[in-house]
Amino acid sequence: SKQLSWKPRLTAHHLSLQAEKLMLEMQDPKTGVKSQPQRLVITTIPHAITGEDIIAWLADRFQVDAQGLSFGSTLVALGYIYPLRDHKRLVIKPDASLYRFQTPYFWPTQQWPVEDTDYAIYLAKRNIRKKGILELHEQEQYNRLHKWMNHKWDFIVMQAKEQYRAAKERKKPDRVVFECQERAYWVVHRPPPGTVSAMDYGLDRRIDPNTEEVTGESARDLRELNSLSSCFSSCSCSLVKYCATYRSHDPFLSNCLPSNPWLTDDVTYWTLNMPNVEIPTKMRVERWTFSFGELLSDPRGRNDFRLFLKKEFSGENLAFWESCEDLKWGTAATMREKAEQIYKTFLARGAPRWINIDGKTMEVTVKGLKHPHRYVLDAAQTHIYMLMKKDSYGRYMKSPVFKDTLQKAMSPEEHKFSDSQLEQNAKKRRPSLSPIVLRQQEQEQKAKMAANVDITQVMTKLSKQGREGGKS
């Protein structure tokens, strides 16, 4: 169909944008797919739609017949529509099976990082709700994550309990809808064995809902094979996504402004990107929007974030995180002293910069401080990090502090050098000294300064101190 604008040569991002526009059309109250409250067991679910209504709407919208079913299954496989009953089969069934439109928060266009910590919290919460009865593949993932994240499992369980407690306060229809939304999101991004993730293979995902499931030894072998394939696919997709994001910020892959110092021997680029420069470049500020970790890893970005937190009267959170980093990477000789100082400053009752953490995390932290080590504050640090990431970071990106920094950020003009200028710059090039040589020179300088001290002044001072001591 000429109206069908999705074509194989389009990128995944363009496909996601097209799907997002289509979702808005399908949810239009007048011209979209008809939705109405439907009873699911004993709970009435609002705004439910049927598979046959979705297929009929797509066939009418794009003037196609046979392609409507596969097109609808693609939307389900990509996570824009989710089933209310059969969560394993991400396909459209041409019958009265119930579906709902996924909330925009979980759409692929949001590009939320799919982290194992969030998946572990989801499985822990589901384990609490199901009282330890999970599906086989979920139980295997739960055990694997528990073993891998054992050092912060208390924090994961604590977060799961808090989310479970908050969910129980909702009305039952809202609670059921959110559970279905969250489960559909993880089925898309952490597919069960025997399925192929649409996030890895795009529009090629097709699953026959009537296919019989494999059991026994073959099923276990298939799960292992799919698990291995999923790991490789996930790693490759993450690598591609990372390269696409950071390509324009890599001096070896893209032009950097004002010039590439490795090619031109002009150090202006390094000068403009010093750790605590007053006015950063626009490219540098843009990196802060990639992730919260990117913001904290840049000293200039951290200073900007600290200013924002100070205005929100929550600067102690960042100060605590920095103190934990100092403890983690500092010398062993000062480890106990730093741990005690952090406790007195941030965790003790009546502390001058007290931070708000839950009782379970506080209990684990205080118990560990009896025998302090580098990672004794990991649980509390992770709690504060997640709090800043999920709460403060989003507000910072919309705050006047960030907007003002972005507006003042500079875009240096490109330096163009002729061949003769490049040759002249190369002649001026001098190899940098080794850190060992610099350290030796610093020690020699200190020794010379000590040797230049007038010995008579030292003796006079000592004799004065001796006379004063004798009088007393």
Side-chain angles (χ1 to χ4, degrees):
S1 173
K2 293 183 179 180
Q3 297 183 33
L4 188 60
S5 56
W6 288 16
K7 298 179 181 179
R9 68 172 180 270
L10 294 178
T11 64
H13 179 65
H14 290 146
L15 289 174
S16 298
L17 294 178
Q18 293 289 341
E20 184 174 322
K21 293 178 181 178
L22 183 61
M23 285 298 101
L24 296 177
E25 288 186 41
M26 296 179 73
Q27 296 181 66
D28 187 276
K30 296 181 179 179
T31 61
V33 183
K34 294 182 179 179
S35 63
Q36 57 184 351
Q38 296 282 356
R39 184 173 291 276
L40 185 67
V41 190
I42 60 173
T43 306
T44 301
I45 304 298
H47 306 295
I49 51 181
T50 62
E52 54 189 3
D53 287 341
I54 296 173
I55 295 173
W57 189 92
L58 290 172
D60 180 67
R61 168 67 175 79
F62 295 108
Q63 299 298 310
V64 293
D65 294 324
Q67 296 174 345
L69 180 62
S70 60
F71 196 16
S73 294
T74 298
L75 294 176
V76 176
L78 292 172
Y80 289 100
I81 301 173
Y82 64 91
L84 290 175
R85 290 182 182 273
D86 191 359
H87 297 277
K88 291 184 180 179
R89 306 292 183 179
L90 295 183
V91 295
I92 284 286
K93 298 180 181 180
D95 52 25
S97 299
L98 297 180
Y99 298 83
R100 287 188 92 252
F101 292 111
Q102 181 65 283
T103 177
Y105 180 83
F106 289 124
W107 284 359
T109 44
Q110 299 293 341
Q111 297 182 343
W112 298 120
V114 185
E115 298 179 351
D116 285 331
T117 301
D118 295 329
Y119 187 46
I121 293 173
Y122 163 74
L123 290 178
K125 180 173 58 176
R126 185 167 169 76
N127 188 56
I128 296 171
R129 186 166 60 246
K130 294 292 183 179
K131 298 181 179 179
I133 303 176
L134 297 175
E135 295 184 15
L136 180 59
H137 74 277
E138 291 180 333
Q139 188 64 54
E140 291 176 352
Q141 293 288 347
Y142 181 87
N143 294 337
R144 182 183 67 83
L145 292 171
H146 189 182
K147 183 178 179 180
W148 184 43
M149 300 182 174
N150 187 50
H151 62 287
K152 60 176 181 180
W153 195 253
D154 291 337
F155 164 77
I156 290 172
V157 173
M158 174 200 65
Q159 290 290 329
K161 288 180 178 179
E162 288 294 329
Q163 293 184 17
Y164 177 70
R165 190 179 299 112
K168 290 187 69 175
E169 297 177 358
R170 298 190 182 101
K171 296 180 180 179
K172 188 172 182 180
D174 296 336
R175 185 166 69 248
V176 172
V177 166
F178 181 76
E179 289 173 3
C180 291
Q181 289 173 341
E182 192 176 29
R183 186 173 185 181
Y185 173 81
W186 286 114
V187 168
V188 171
H189 293 277
R190 292 288 191 274
T195 64
V196 180
S197 173
M199 296 297 102
D200 296 336
Y201 293 97
L203 303 180
D204 294 333
R205 178 174 182 162
R206 293 292 182 271
I207 301 168
D208 184 0
N210 299 315
T211 302
E212 295 183 1
E213 295 188 14
V214 182
T215 58
E217 292 287 337
S218 300
R220 185 168 63 253
D221 294 341
L222 182 61
R223 283 197 300 270
E224 293 177 357
L225 181 61
N226 284 325
S227 177
L228 184 61
S229 174
S230 177
C231 288
F232 280 122
S233 300
S234 178
C235 291
S236 60
C237 287
S238 298
L239 181 61
V240 170
K241 181 181 177 181
Y242 180 89
C243 292
T245 303
Y246 286 88
R247 178 181 176 83
S248 59
H249 293 261
D250 192 319
F252 290 98
L253 299 178
S254 303
N255 293 331
C256 58
L257 298 177
S259 64
N260 192 323
W262 289 275
L263 299 177
T264 64
D265 295 293
D266 180 28
V267 298
T268 307
Y269 173 80
W270 289 329
T271 304
L272 295 177
N273 288 278
M274 292 177 66
N276 289 302
V277 67
E278 183 178 356
I279 301 178
T281 62
K282 285 191 180 296
M283 292 283 286
R284 185 172 180 178
V285 177
E286 183 185 338
R287 288 177 70 108
W288 303 348
T289 64
F290 291 168
S291 68
F292 182 55
E294 193 71 50
L295 174 67
L296 290 188
S297 65
D298 187 343
R300 181 60 180 81
R302 202 186 302 175
N303 289 339
D304 211 54
F305 187 55
R306 183 182 294 107
L307 177 62
F308 165 76
L309 292 178
K310 184 178 180 181
K311 293 185 177 182
E312 286 210 336
F313 303 99
S314 57
E316 65 278 357
N317 290 335
L318 181 59
F320 174 75
W321 182 88
E322 290 178 321
S323 298
C324 292
E325 287 293 293
D326 183 46
L327 171 67
K328 192 181 298 182
W329 302 104
T331 59
T334 60
M335 191 167 55
R336 178 178 292 275
E337 180 183 350
K338 287 180 179 179
E340 292 177 356
Q341 185 61 37
I342 292 173
Y343 175 76
K344 293 178 183 178
T345 306
F346 300 100
L347 301 173
R349 290 185 178 181
R353 306 195 72 181
W354 184 76
I355 59 171
N356 186 15
I357 59 176
D358 61 279
K360 180 65 176 178
T361 304
M362 178 66 79
E363 180 182 347
V364 171
T365 303
V366 173
K367 183 179 178 180
L369 283 171
K370 294 179 181 178
H371 305 283
H373 52 86
R374 293 186 185 278
Y375 308 102
V376 69
L377 297 171
D378 264 13
Q381 185 186 18
T382 304
H383 180 89
I384 294 299
Y385 178 88
M386 296 298 291
L387 179 66
M388 293 191 296
K389 176 182 176 181
K390 294 184 178 295
D391 185 39
S392 302
Y393 178 59
R395 293 203 307 275
Y396 163 72
M397 285 296 158
K398 301 175 183 178
S399 68
V401 174
F402 176 74
K403 292 179 180 178
D404 183 58
T405 302
L406 182 61
Q407 184 178 6
K408 292 180 179 179
M410 65 171 67
S411 295
E413 296 182 0
E414 182 180 2
H415 289 176
K416 295 183 179 180
F417 294 93
S418 62
D419 293 339
S420 59
Q421 289 175 321
L422 291 176
E423 291 179 5
Q424 188 175 2
N425 290 345
K427 291 178 180 179
K428 296 179 180 178
R429 184 190 309 159
R430 294 291 182 272
S432 57
L433 293 177
S434 166
I436 298 177
V437 176
L438 291 175
R439 198 178 302 116
Q440 289 176 348
Q441 290 180 351
E442 183 179 354
Q443 292 175 353
E444 291 174 0
Q445 184 66 24
K446 288 181 179 179
K448 289 181 180 179
M449 292 178 64
N452 291 334
V453 176
D454 190 351
I455 189 65
T456 56
Q457 294 180 1
V458 175
M459 295 301 296
T460 303
K461 186 175 181 180
L462 290 175
S463 61
K464 287 183 179 179
Q465 291 179 352
R467 289 196 298 270
E468 291 176 356
K471 291 179 180 179
S472 61

